[in-house]
C-alpha cells in the first residue's frame, strides 16, 4: 500500500485534506489495501465552493463553442489513459476489465456528445402578440454545480454530470465515492491536461458524511446532481427544498425483464444474463426480476441455469473471468442477508445463493450468481433493490399479470420485454411504468444523447446523458425586445 497526498483539487492546486483523517481503498477481490488518501471535511468543501465561485464569472463568459472544444480535448486525454483508468477501476471496485474499458468508452462518447452541444446551445425566437417586438429565450448557467457520485460507475456517472455542467458554463465541485478515489484522480488529471481553467473543476477526495452533507446544503452551491441510493437522495432533496436549490436525482431501481411465450428464448436469456450479472448486479439498471409466462418458464430457466453455471468468478483483471467480486464486504453482507431472508420466506434457490471463498481469493467479496424461484411479486426480494448478482423469477399467466408485476414496486427506472408481437411491444411501451423501456433488449443498454432517468423512487423527474441535463444545469431566460 502507498499513501497519496495532495489528492484534493481546489482552485487549480493539488492540496491535502485539511484534517488528518485518512481512509484506505481496497481490492475487493483480495481484500488487500491499495492506497491511503486524505478524507475531505466540511472545511475542504467550503474551500472548493469558494474556488468554484471565484472561477465562475470568467468561465461562464467563455463562448460555448470554446467550452465544447475543451471537452473534445478531454476526450483525447481520456483515450490516452484508457487502459490505466480501466485497470484502476477494476482494482478499486472489482468489475471485470472488459466492463471497465466499456465504461471509459461510454465516458468518451458522452464527452464528445456534450462537446458538440457547444455548437448547439440553441434558444428560441417566439412570435409576439405585439407589434415591433421580438421575444427570445436563452439558457444561462446556474453557477456552481455540486456533483456527488457512487462507486459502481466511478467515472461515467460523474462524467454525465460534469460534462453537461461545463459545456453550459458552470463550475463544478465533485465528491466521488471514497473507494474509487484513484479512478476519480485519474479522471480529474485528464481534465486538467486538457486545459480546464483553475477552479472550474474541483475535486474532494473521499470525505466523511459531514462533507457530503455540507456540499449538498452549501449556500454557495446553485444546483446539485446526485447518483446513489434512494434513501440518501430523499435526504438531499429535503435539504435542497429548504433553499429551493435545483437538484437532479438518479436513484435506485428494481428492474424487470418480461418474457412472453412468443419470445426468442435464446435472445431473452442473453439479455437477462447481461442485465443481471454485469458489474455483479451492482447497477441501478440491473435486472433483478425476471417475469416469465408460465408456458415458457421451464425452457427459459433451463437455459439460464446452463449459462449461469458456466460463469467464471475471479479477479476482474483476468480476461477469462466473467464475474468479479462485490465492491465491498458490507455489500456482500447485505446481499447475503437479503437472499437468506428470501429463502426463509419461501423462495427456492435454483442456483447460487451463497458466499464464495475462491481458492485463489479466499478473502474476496464474492457471491455466487443466484437464481431464485417460487417468488411472488409482493415478496421483499422482489420489491427491494439488492445490488448484487441475484435474480428473482416470477411466474405469470399472461401479459396483463406481467405488467402488473413489473409495476408493483416503488421504483420505475428500467424495464424490458421480450416478444415477437408488435401488439404487445407497443402496449408495453405505454404500460410499463419506467423511465426507460426496452423491447427485445436487456435493461442496461442506454446510449449517449438519449434521456436517462427514472420515475417514482428512481428519480425526481430529471434526465441525464442528453440535452435534458441542461434543465438543471441552466436557467431559462425570456427576453422581450421592443423596437
Amino acid at each position: 500500500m502507498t499513501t497519496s497526498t495532495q489528492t484534493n483539487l481546489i482552485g487549480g492546486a493539488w492540496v491535502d485534506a485539511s484534517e488528518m483523517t485518512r481512509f484506505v481503498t481496497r481490492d475487493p477481490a483480495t481484500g488487500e489495501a491499495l492506497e491511503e488518501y486524505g478524507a475531505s471535511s466540511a472545511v475542504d468543501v467550503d474551500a472548493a465552493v469558494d474556488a468554484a465561485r471565484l472561477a465562475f464569472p470568467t468561465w461562464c463568459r467563455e463562448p460555448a463553442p470554446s467550452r465544447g472544444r475543451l471537452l473534445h480535448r478531454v476526450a483525447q486525454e481520456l483515450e490516452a489513459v484508457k487502459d490505466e483508468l480501466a485497470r484502476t477501476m477494476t482494482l478499486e471496485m472489482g468489475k471485470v476489465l472488459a466492463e471497465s474499458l466499456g465504461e471509459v468508452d461510454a465516458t468518451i462518447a458522452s464527452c464528445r456528445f456534450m462537446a458538440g452541444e457547444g455548437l448547439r446551445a440553441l434558444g428560441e425566437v417566439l412570435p409576439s402578440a405585439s407589434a415591433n417586438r421580438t421575444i427570445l429565450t436563452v439558457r444561462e448557467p446556474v453557477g456552481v454545480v455540486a456533483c456527488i457520485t457512487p462507486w459502481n460507475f466511478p467515472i461515467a456517472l460523474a462524467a454525465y454530470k460534469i460534462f453537461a455542467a461545463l459545456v453550459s458554463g458552470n463550475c463544478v465541485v465533485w465528491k466521488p465515492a471514497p473507494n474509487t478515489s484513484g479512478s476519480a484522480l485519474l479522471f480529474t488529471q485528464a481534465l486538467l491536461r486538457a486545459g480546464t481553467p483553475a477552479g472550474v473543476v474541483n475535486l474532494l477526495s473521499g470525505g466523511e458524511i459531514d462533507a457530503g452533507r455540507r456540499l449538498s446544503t452549501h449556500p454557495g452551491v446553485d444546483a446539485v446532481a446526485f447518483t446513489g441510493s434512494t434513501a440518501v437522495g430523499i435526504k438531499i432533496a429535503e435539504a435542497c427544498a429548504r433553499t429551493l436549490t435545483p437538484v437532479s436525482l438518479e436513484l435506485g431501481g428494481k428492474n424487470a425483464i418480461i418474457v412472453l411465450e412468443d419470445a426468442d428464448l435464446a435472445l431473452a436469456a442473453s439479455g437477462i444474463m447481461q442485465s443481471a450479472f454485469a458489474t455483479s448486479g451492482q447497477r441501478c439498471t440491473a435486472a433483478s426480476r425476471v417475469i416469465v409466462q408460465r408456458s415458457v418458464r421451464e425452457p427459459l430457466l433451463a437455459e439460464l441455469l446452463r449459462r449461469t453455471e458456466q460463469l467464471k468468478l475471479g479477479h476482474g483483471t483476468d480476461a477469462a473471468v466473467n464475474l468479479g467480486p462485490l465492491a465491498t464486504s458490507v455489500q456482500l453482507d447485505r446481499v447475503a442477508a437479503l437472499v437468506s431472508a428470501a429463502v426463509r420466506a419461501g423462495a427456492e434457490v435454483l442456483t447460487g445463493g451463497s458466499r464464495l471463498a475462491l481458492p485463489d481469493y479466499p478473502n474476496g467479496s464474492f457471491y455466487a450468481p443466484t437464481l431464485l424461484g417460487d417468488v411472488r411479486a409482493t415478496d421483499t426480494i422482489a420489491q427491494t433493490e439488492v445490488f448484487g448478482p441475484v435474480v428473482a423469477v416470477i411466474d405469470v399467466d399472461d401479459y396483463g399479470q406481467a405488467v402488473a408485476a413489473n409495476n408493483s414496486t416503488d421504483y420505475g427506472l428500467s424495464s424490458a420485454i421480450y416478444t415477437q408481437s408488435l401488439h404487445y411491444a407497443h402496449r408495453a411501451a405505454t404500460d410499463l411504468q419506467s423511465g426507460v423501456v426496452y423491447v427485445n433488449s436487456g435493461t442496461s443498454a442506454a446510449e449517449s444523447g438519449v434521456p436517462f432517468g427514472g420515475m417514482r423512487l428512481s428519480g425526481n423527474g430529471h434526465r441525464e446523458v442528453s440535452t435534458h441535463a441542461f434543465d438543471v444545469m441552466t436557467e431559462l431566460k425570456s427576453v422581450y425586445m421592443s423596437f
Side-chain angles (χ1 to χ4, degrees), residues 428-454:
T430 298
D431 294 342
L432 300 180
Q433 296 174 6
S434 300
V436 184
V437 174
Y438 297 94
V439 176
N440 294 321
S441 178
T443 55
S444 299
E447 298 185 21
S448 291
V450 181
F452 179 84

Side-chain angles (χ1 to χ4, degrees), residues 11 13 23 29 47 51-52 74 88 164 173 189 194 217 225 242 263 297 381 422 447 469:
F23 68 94
V74 171
T88 300
V173 178
Q189 289 168 346
T217 60
R242 297 189 186 99
R297 178 186 189 275
I381 195 68
L422 191 61
E447 298 185 21

Side-chain angles (χ1 to χ4, degrees), residues 25-31 34 85-101 103 151-154 179-180 183 277-282 312-318 321-328 358 361 364-366:
T25 59
R26 294 185 180 277
D27 183 339
T30 64
L34 294 171
L85 189 48
R87 181 175 174 80
T88 300
M89 283 192 286
T90 292
L91 290 174
E92 288 186 324
M93 61 76 56
K95 63 183 165 189
V96 298
L97 189 57
E99 292 180 25
S100 294
L101 289 166
E103 178 176 345
W151 44 258
N152 59 331
F153 285 85
N179 54 322
T180 50
S183 303
F277 299 132
T279 322
S280 298
Q282 299 168 118
K312 180 180 179 181
L313 280 74
H315 201 290
T317 56
D318 183 345
V321 165
N322 310 114
L323 201 66
L326 295 176
T328 66
L358 302 184
Y361 306 104
S365 298
F366 292 94

Side-chain angles (χ1 to χ4, degrees), residues 16-322:
D16 287 322
S18 60
E19 299 182 2
M20 297 302 295
T21 306
R22 314 287 295 178
F23 68 94
V24 175
T25 59
R26 294 185 180 277
D27 183 339
T30 64
E32 295 175 355
L34 294 171
E35 196 86 14
E36 184 181 75
Y37 295 89
S40 299
S41 68
V43 173
D44 302 301
V45 172
D46 292 345
V49 173
D50 288 347
R53 296 212 70 81
L54 185 63
F56 175 68
T58 300
W59 178 244
C60 73
R61 289 176 173 79
E62 186 76 19
S66 176
R67 299 194 296 257
R69 287 194 293 273
L70 169 68
L71 292 188
H72 278 301
R73 296 195 298 273
V74 171
Q76 293 172 345
E77 291 295 336
L78 290 173
E79 287 275 14
V81 295
K82 176 179 174 178
D83 291 339
E84 181 184 6
L85 189 48
R87 181 175 174 80
T88 300
M89 283 192 286
T90 292
L91 290 174
E92 288 186 324
M93 61 76 56
K95 63 183 165 189
V96 298
L97 189 57
E99 292 180 25
S100 294
L101 289 166
E103 178 176 345
V104 182
D105 285 337
T107 301
I108 293 169
S110 175
C111 189
R112 289 178 172 148
F113 174 84
M114 282 299 173
E117 291 308 305
L119 297 172
R120 290 191 295 269
L122 304 179
E124 299 172 295
V125 178
L126 302 174
S128 172
S130 301
N132 300 327
R133 171 180 277 181
T134 299
I135 304 175
L136 311 172
T137 65
V138 295
R139 287 195 176 273
E140 296 184 344
V142 295
V144 175
V145 178
C147 299
I148 305 172
T149 56
W151 44 258
N152 59 331
F153 285 85
I155 64 163
L157 295 177
Y160 299 153
K161 299 164 177 55
I162 292 171
F163 295 157
L166 293 182
V167 79
S168 52
N170 298 289
C171 294
V172 169
V173 178
W174 177 29
K175 181 187 175 301
N179 54 322
T180 50
S181 293
S183 303
L185 196 60
L186 289 171
F187 179 74
T188 305
Q189 289 168 346
L191 288 170
L192 286 187
R193 287 195 301 272
T196 303
V200 171
V201 173
N202 302 273
L203 172 68
L204 295 171
S205 175
E208 303 299 328
I209 294 175
D210 70 318
R213 185 182 297 115
R214 175 61 175 164
L215 182 58
S216 60
T217 60
H218 199 290
V221 167
D222 300 292
V224 177
F226 170 79
T227 295
S229 73
T230 296
V232 174
I234 289 172
K235 291 179 180 179
I236 290 175
E238 291 172 344
C240 290
R242 297 189 186 99
T243 54
L244 300 182
T245 301
V247 57
S248 173
L249 303 174
E250 201 277 282
L251 306 175
K254 190 61 184 175
N255 314 293
I257 294 178
I258 295 172
V259 182
L260 297 185
E261 61 187 0
D262 68 335
D264 180 329
L265 296 186
L267 182 65
S270 295
I272 292 167
M273 294 295 294
Q274 172 65 20
S275 301
F277 299 132
T279 322
S280 298
Q282 299 168 118
R283 295 184 177 205
C284 58
T285 56
S288 57
R289 297 181 296 158
V290 170
I291 302 169
V292 58
Q293 207 163 351
R294 281 189 174 86
S295 56
V296 292
R297 178 186 189 275
E298 295 308 317
L300 178 66
L301 282 182
E303 183 63 15
L304 290 177
L305 287 168
R306 183 185 69 82
R307 296 187 185 209
T308 301
E309 290 166 0
Q310 290 178 346
L311 293 175
K312 180 180 179 181
L313 280 74
H315 201 290
T317 56
D318 183 345
V321 165
N322 310 114

